[in-house]
Amino acid sequence: EAGVTQFPSHSVIEKGQTVTLRCDPISGHDNLYWYRRVMGKEIKFLLHFVKESKQDESGMPNNRFLAERTGGTYSTLKVQPAELEDSGVYFCASSPRQGAYNEQFFGPGTRLTVL
Amino acid sequence: AQKVTQAQTEISVVEKEDVTLDCVYETRDTTYYLFWYKQPPSGELVFLIRRNSFDEQNEISGRYSWNFQKSTSSFNFTITASQVVDSAVYFCALRGSGGYNKLIFGAGTRLAVHP
C-alpha cells in the first residue's frame, strides 16, 4: 500500500511569489492534516480535513495560506504571496478514522525556502 | 493549554551506549494520548508508539522502551545498545480528547550515534 506522498520535495521561491504544495493521502483515508516545522522548532498543526470539509483550521497562520481538498482525495496548500517566515518543512498526514486513538501517517514533507 | 517539551536539542552517543530522550507534557485533559515519532534522514515521520493516559505500563519493543509517568507528566524514550541506524530526529507528541485530533509536537531531539 502506498504511503502519504507529497510534491514537490523541495521548493525554492522568492518573496512575493506563489507556491502550491500537494499531498496525496493513503487511499481511503478520510482525514488529512497539514503541519509545518519552521526553523528547527516544533512541528505545528495547520489544519484538518475530513473528506472535503475543513474540520479544524485553527492553526492556519494567516490569510496568505489557502488549503483545499476538492473531491476529498488529494489536498493542496497554496501560499500567496510567500514571505520569508514561511520557510520550513510542510508535512501532510492522513488517518482512516477520527478519534484521538488513531495513528496519523505522515508523508516525507515539502521543504519550502523563501528567499 | 497543551504543550510538549523536549529539553534535549541534540544528543551524541557512541554506538552501543544506552540513551534516554526526555519528553514532558502539559494538558488539562483527563483522557489523552502520547506518541513518539522518528524522522530519519529521508524526512518522513515514522510512528513508533502510542500510549493512552490510562495505561501507565512501561513498554518494551526490542531495543526501544518507553517510561510513562503521569505523576511527573513525562513519557521518556530509551534506546538500549544504540546503533548508527538510530540516528534521527525524534519527536514526542500529545493529542488531547478534544481539538479534533490535532497532534501537539515537541521541538524534537536530534540523536547522533557514532560508530
Side-chain angles (χ1 to χ4, degrees):
Chain A
E1 178 183 295
V4 177
T5 58
Q6 294 186 243
F7 182 83
S9 56
H10 292 85
S11 180
V12 180
I13 61 173
E14 295 198 350
K15 176 182 173 181
Q17 289 186 322
T18 298
V19 63
T20 300
L21 314 181
R22 172 171 170 145
C23 168
D24 286 77
I26 293 172
S27 178
H29 282 194
D30 288 341
N31 294 279
L32 187 149
Y33 308 81
W34 283 98
Y35 294 83
R36 73 172 179 178
R37 189 182 189 211
V38 175
M39 291 293 290
K41 295 185 178 178
E42 67 271 20
I43 300 170
K44 285 194 171 181
F45 168 82
L46 295 178
L47 87 159
H48 169 206
F49 283 99
V50 178
K51 297 185 181 178
E52 66 274 12
S53 299
K54 292 177 184 174
Q55 183 78 12
D56 179 3
E57 50 185 328
S58 61
M60 294 288 265
N62 52 60
N63 59 10
R64 295 186 293 103
F65 288 75
L66 175 63
E68 294 180 325
R69 193 183 181 196
T70 306
T73 53
Y74 71 91
S75 173
T76 58
L77 179 64
K78 180 189 288 188
V79 185
Q80 179 182 28
E83 297 289 344
L84 299 179
E85 64 264 27
D86 300 331
S87 296
V89 180
Y90 290 76
F91 291 100
C92 177
S94 71
S95 70
R97 294 173 297 279
Q98 289 202 63
Y101 179 80
N102 293 302
E103 172 191 346
Q104 295 178 13
F105 296 84
F106 281 80
T110 293
R111 181 174 296 278
L112 174 64
T113 302
V114 183
L115 303 175
Chain B
Q2 298 184 327
K3 184 179 179 181
V4 175
T5 300
Q6 293 180 256
Q8 303 150 309
T9 306
E10 292 190 34
I11 300 176
S12 182
V13 299
V14 177
E15 216 171 9
K16 297 184 183 177
E17 284 186 29
D18 298 347
V19 58
T20 296
L21 310 181
D22 297 333
C23 173
V24 174
Y25 63 92
E26 297 174 29
T27 181
R28 293 180 181 173
D29 290 344
T30 53
T31 301
Y32 53 89
Y33 295 82
L34 296 163
F35 300 78
W36 276 95
Y37 283 85
K38 174 181 179 180
Q39 186 186 30
S42 52
E44 75 278 15
L45 289 168
V46 178
F47 168 80
L48 294 178
I49 189 172
R50 170 184 51 234
R51 175 66 72 214
N52 76 56
S53 52
F54 298 108
D55 182 3
E56 286 194 71
Q57 279 192 332
N58 292 332
E59 179 152 343
I60 298 174
S61 176
R63 296 183 297 105
Y64 295 174
S65 62
W66 291 269
N67 183 355
F68 176 30
Q69 293 195 344
K70 288 179 74 172
S71 60
T72 56
S73 297
S74 65
F75 187 43
N76 296 337
F77 173 31
T78 297
I79 302 175
T80 302
S82 60
Q83 301 176 1
V84 173
V85 293
D86 296 326
S87 297
V89 181
Y90 291 86
F91 292 94
C92 180
L94 164 72
R95 186 191 297 162
S97 53
Y100 300 113
N101 311 316
K102 64 183 178 185
L103 289 168
I104 309 297
F105 283 89
T109 297
R110 180 176 297 277
L111 173 65
V113 182
H114 302 284

